[in-house]
Amino acid sequence: AAPICYVRPTSDMMVKPGHHSVNAEGLVDSPYLREWQAQQSSLIPLCASMRSVFGRDPPVYAKPPGHDQQQAHQAALAQAAQATPPSYTATVTPPPYGNTATTPPPGYNSVAHDAGAAERVSPPTAETPKQEAVRRLTTKLRDDLKGFYANICKEVDVEYTSQAKLRAGHEDVSASLERMRKHKGVLKEQIELAKQSTADLDTWLMRRQEEEARPVDPDDLVQPRDACSQKMLELVAEAGAIEDALFALDRGLNNGMVELDLFLREVRKLSRQQFLILAHEKKIIAAQK
């Protein structure tokens, strides 16, 4: 069963009339109490719920000046209206002859005053063992509840502090996640760029492999830029051939395979061609400059 909670105002405060969660006797009626579950509900969330509700709409307020005197006066008037005046019989004895003084009968006010005085001076009734036990138990429960409420307040404050830290940590984690998302986007772009570069390299390597598979013509390795370059290339090749021919004639003469007359005649012819080639090369070089 749900616990029964009361709001007990101090001597200088009173329960707010018409409060949506507290009736005139101070009994608390909150949504958490109406939805109380024995296995899940506890006093700590209950105190936090009442603290939140009472923080928005306090159930007590300060008594106006003279409120206690007004209530005491109203209670005295109600008690006097309900009280029955005492019945009495007044006996009037005629005074002795010659004594003109008379004693009036006692009035209602004096009798009521005497009765009230007698009631005030009557000794107080003794406290029964049951009443003493109830009083002690009430005092002990009040003290325990004060200590429990103080502990609850400390725990709630600790929870609020932890909540603030968790909220700050949540903001830090959110900021870190946002930075990581941006970094992830940059990395995706770089990955796409790397894939494109890898595909271009693969294409270039395939072309190179196909070109290496075909036979290479030495004449295709060097291509002249214009006619002068083409002629210069031909003259250099011819000059190289003449050098090779002169070397071969010299070897043949040394080995006795070529006669001297033939050697001299061929050397004179090749030398004339070599001279002409050198002159032609100088003209081409001058024209290119």
Side-chain angles (χ1 to χ4, degrees):
I4 301 174
C5 304
Y6 284 91
V7 174
R8 294 302 185 192
T10 58
S11 60
D12 57 346
M13 303 188 76
M14 60 186 302
V15 178
K16 182 178 181 181
H19 194 275
H20 61 86
S21 296
V22 180
N23 60 9
E25 287 76 17
L27 180 62
V28 179
D29 181 19
S30 66
Y32 191 85
L33 286 173
R34 290 193 295 269
E35 299 174 0
W36 183 271
Q37 297 181 4
Q39 301 298 329
Q40 299 179 358
S41 302
S42 63
L43 294 178
I44 295 177
L46 173 61
C47 293
S49 174
M50 289 190 295
R51 183 177 181 180
S52 176
V53 172
F54 294 162
R56 293 193 299 268
D57 186 10
V60 295
Y61 65 97
K63 292 180 180 179
H67 182 269
D68 293 336
Q69 290 80 359
Q70 185 179 2
Q71 282 191 344
H73 181 65
Q74 291 178 358
L77 291 178
Q79 184 176 3
Q82 294 177 1
T84 304
S87 60
Y88 61 90
T89 302
T91 304
V92 180
T93 304
Y97 179 77
N99 189 0
T100 58
T102 60
T103 302
Y108 170 74
N109 291 332
S110 62
V111 174
H113 177 72
D114 295 339
E119 183 178 357
R120 284 195 298 271
V121 300
S122 60
T125 57
E127 188 178 18
T128 62
K130 180 178 180 181
Q131 292 176 348
E132 183 180 1
V134 170
R135 179 179 57 79
R136 291 181 178 177
L137 181 60
T138 303
T139 303
K140 186 177 184 304
L141 287 176
R142 187 181 296 111
D143 295 338
D144 293 342
L145 286 175
K146 287 181 180 179
F148 179 74
Y149 181 72
N151 294 332
I152 290 297
C153 291
K154 292 180 181 179
E155 293 179 2
V156 170
D157 293 337
V158 171
E159 293 297 331
Y160 280 153
T161 304
S162 301
Q163 185 179 6
K165 292 181 180 179
L166 289 175
R167 188 178 292 109
H170 176 71
E171 294 176 356
D172 294 339
V173 170
S174 300
S176 300
L177 286 175
E178 186 64 24
R179 290 194 300 269
M180 293 178 67
R181 290 191 186 96
K182 293 180 179 179
H183 188 61
K184 182 179 179 181
V186 174
L187 289 178
K188 284 184 177 180
E189 294 177 357
Q190 294 180 356
I191 289 173
E192 293 297 330
L193 181 60
K195 288 182 178 179
Q196 184 64 32
S197 301
T198 303
D200 295 341
L201 287 174
D202 292 339
T203 304
W204 181 82
L205 287 175
M206 291 178 64
R207 287 201 304 268
R208 296 297 300 171
Q209 290 175 357
E210 291 176 357
E211 292 176 357
E212 290 177 358
R214 296 196 300 268
V216 179
D217 188 2
D219 296 335
D220 295 336
L221 296 177
V222 179
Q223 296 294 331
R225 184 178 58 183
D226 50 15
C228 292
S229 299
Q230 178 68 27
K231 189 62 179 177
M232 189 70 177
L233 185 62
E234 292 176 357
L235 292 174
V236 169
E238 188 175 356
I242 291 173
E243 291 288 341
D244 292 340
L246 291 174
F247 178 77
L249 288 173
D250 185 66
R251 291 286 299 274
L253 180 63
N254 292 331
N255 295 330
M257 298 176 64
V258 178
E259 296 180 356
L260 181 59
D261 295 338
L262 179 62
F263 175 78
L264 293 175
R265 188 169 54 251
E266 293 297 329
V267 168
R268 186 181 302 113
K269 184 191 303 182
L270 292 175
S271 299
R272 185 181 299 113
Q273 291 179 0
Q274 190 177 22
F275 175 76
L276 293 175
I277 289 173
L278 292 176
H280 200 175
E281 287 179 354
K282 290 180 180 180
K283 290 182 179 180
I284 292 175
I285 293 172
Q288 288 181 344
K289 291 181 177 180

